[in-house]
Amino acid sequence: MKKNQLLSVSPLSKSFHVRQGIIHAVRGVSFDIAAGETVGLVGESGCGKSTLGRTVIRLYEPDSGRILLEGKDITHLKRQQLRPFRKTMQMIFQDPYASLNPRKTAGTAIEMPMAVHGVGNRKERRERVKWLMSRVGLPPEMADRHPHEFSGGQRQRIGIARALALNPRLIVCDEPVSALDVSVQAQVINLLAEIQVEFGLAYLFISHDLSLIAHFASRVIVMYLGCFVEVADQAALWLQPLHPYTQALISAVPVADLDAPKPKTRLFLKGDLPSPLNPPRGCSFHTRCPYAEGRCRREQAELRRIGAKEHWVACHRVEEIP
């Protein structure tokens, strides 16, 4: 583990047993996040992004692999053993209403993590609640209101304040703006950027919006059917996507600026995302890939570095793809 590495994950897998069989949600992925870094995780709905985020912070129990947080192995710690590490890692959930208890006030929701971990006395915690609400752009006098009395954007600000309550170093942002109005999304993204600098946070930022990821993240992971298909610096990924799936995602992004560079050709994907109950043999993307050949149907492509920079791609034919 590198000196400035905050999180290191090595081949991590997570599956769910359901009546129809086994859902292979995350299949042997490895990555790391440095202190203060924002890593973007992008892919279609159902590809395993949220499952990976929840497994990393141990809301789900991993099937296999290893999770190192600040150099300490937390992969299989029991609840009480894991408790001290909860201060270091927190999560902002996608649905700002479902993630709040409708019977608890905003102030109680923000104070709860501090009370559970025995941080300060009641007066000190209430003062910190007021400060956190103010910091995320909410009037402190709204602390006694219930979730239904707030707008969607305000509820997400409560979720952000709650995540900050214990001064974490890592926050998993699980599509934190996808449920918000477009007019509010930019405000929340700017708030997340501000508090990252102020608190020295690292983010695992999960989204299906590649343009948002490109704006917010310094490094991007593209996920497909539980596997990583491309990992690169955001600028390199945006300017020169190498995997056909990444190329398709970028070519589908609407461009408002008529003078902005556009993809050479629009790459359309055929069919739907295969079922994680029965993932395809070989390369997981071959059923929709216009460049697939016999080897793609037989052998799983492993991530390999292309060129001198840290640009990793899982594709047998990457050197042949235009």
Side-chain angles (χ1 to χ4, degrees), residues 28-89:
V29 302
S30 301
F31 68 102
D32 49 56
I33 301 177
E37 183 184 22
T38 298
V39 173
L41 181 60
V42 66
E44 293 172 278
S45 296
C47 73
K49 305 186 303 295
S50 295
T51 298
L52 176 57
R54 293 178 182 223
T55 305
V56 162
I57 65 170
R58 289 293 317 278
L59 292 182
Y60 292 155
E61 183 73 22
D63 296 339
S64 62
R66 191 166 71 151
I67 306 167
L68 298 180
L69 183 67
E70 297 182 317
K72 300 177 178 65
D73 192 336
I74 66 167
T75 314
H76 299 295
L77 294 183
K78 303 300 181 184
R79 180 178 295 183
Q80 286 301 114
Q81 296 173 316
L82 190 61
R83 188 169 179 174
F85 295 95
R86 293 294 186 196
K87 293 182 179 181
T88 304
M89 52 184 184

Side-chain angles (χ1 to χ4, degrees), residues 107-239:
T108 300
I110 299 170
E111 183 186 357
M112 186 67 70
M114 294 182 281
V116 168
H117 287 271
V119 176
N121 55 42
R122 181 65 188 276
K123 181 180 179 181
E124 291 170 338
R125 292 197 297 266
R126 296 304 290 180
E127 287 300 315
R128 180 160 174 79
V129 167
K130 292 178 182 178
W131 182 85
L132 285 168
M133 290 190 69
S134 177
R135 181 59 194 86
V136 300
L138 293 173
E141 55 269 22
M142 298 176 73
D144 292 328
R145 296 188 183 183
H146 289 81
H148 72 271
E149 299 178 84
F150 294 92
S151 67
Q154 289 174 326
R155 287 196 287 264
Q156 195 59 293
R157 290 173 188 268
I158 296 170
I160 294 171
R162 178 177 60 184
L164 293 173
L166 296 173
N167 286 316
R169 297 192 64 199
L170 170 68
I171 294 182
V172 175
C173 304
D174 185 12
E175 303 209 37
V177 298
S178 63
L180 306 180
D181 293 338
V182 175
S183 59
V184 180
Q185 289 182 4
Q187 298 174 19
V188 174
I189 289 297
N190 289 337
L191 173 61
L192 290 171
E194 291 170 6
I195 63 175
Q196 179 176 31
V197 175
E198 182 177 340
F199 289 82
L201 299 169
Y203 288 144
L204 175 60
F205 194 92
I206 299 170
S207 178
H208 63 271
D209 186 342
L210 190 52
S211 60
L212 175 60
I213 289 285
H215 167 75
F216 194 66
S218 56
R219 191 156 50 95
V220 182
I221 299 171
V222 183
M223 193 171 187
Y224 184 83
L225 204 63
C227 301
F228 292 169
V229 296
E230 191 161 1
V231 181
D233 173 85
Q234 69 87 10
L237 188 84
W238 193 259
L239 293 175

